[in-house]
Amino acid sequence: MHAIKFGAFVTHPVYDPYGMLEPWRYLTSVFMHSGIQHLLFNLFAVLVFAPPLERLLGSLRYVFFYLLCGVGGNAFSALASDVAADGGTHVGVGASGAIYGVYGAYLFISLFRKSQLDVSSRKTVYTILIFGVIFSLLAPQVDLWAHVGGALAGFLLYSLFERAKARNRRYRT
């Protein structure tokens, strides 16, 4: 399979259930896509939703955040694949875990920093997440667990960045 040759994320229930034999695949797979439609859909999501979050975090923190969410999505997928134990090799590509990390950050903001988003923006966040889960359940080629893992990673990482920012503000004053 060509995707594996070029850096796709791979787990095998017996030989490498958590993808740890080649850990670099946790990151390289985030930059790979299964086709032009997959790439364009992810590009659209990044172009629409990433810039406001990047402004909130700052560019360097955002890059770190985005990559960690992609890795987190792959890690959650590996854990969930092992629990499911369907017996087959799991191959994953795409930036969806990282993109769902962005959605997870917006979910955090929608729930705990409501003043930063207007009501319609909060509704948009909820709608995207609901439709994303439904789509992930209905489309067999989509890795639901990478989406869930990326969203959880984004939610938790954004919370950590917020705490660090608040702590830094307290120390400066």
Side-chain angles (χ1 to χ4, degrees), residues 8 15-16 19 62 67 89-90 132 141 155 170:
Y15 304 114
D16 192 12
Y62 176 77
L67 295 175
T89 299
H90 170 76
Q141 74 280 8
F155 188 91
R170 273 185 269 156

Side-chain angles (χ1 to χ4, degrees), residues 61-161:
R61 264 196 209 111
Y62 176 77
V63 168
F64 185 64
F65 170 87
Y66 186 83
L67 295 175
L68 279 177
C69 288
V71 169
N74 282 329
F76 199 82
S77 178
L79 290 172
S81 296
D82 186 47
V83 169
D86 61 1
T89 299
H90 170 76
V91 178
V93 295
S96 300
I99 292 166
Y100 271 79
V102 171
Y103 299 156
Y106 283 123
L107 180 61
F108 179 89
I109 294 166
S110 295
L111 295 173
F112 300 111
R113 304 292 182 263
K114 291 182 180 184
S115 64
Q116 291 181 342
L117 290 175
D118 59 73
V119 173
S120 63
S121 294
R122 288 196 305 269
K123 286 180 182 177
T124 299
V125 170
Y126 304 142
T127 302
I128 286 170
L129 287 169
I130 290 167
F131 278 110
V133 169
I134 292 169
F135 177 73
S136 298
L137 289 169
L138 296 177
Q141 74 280 8
V142 173
D143 188 347
L144 167 69
W145 299 116
H147 291 178
V148 170
L152 286 172
F155 188 91
L156 295 172
L157 282 171
Y158 192 82
S159 169
L160 292 173
F161 284 143

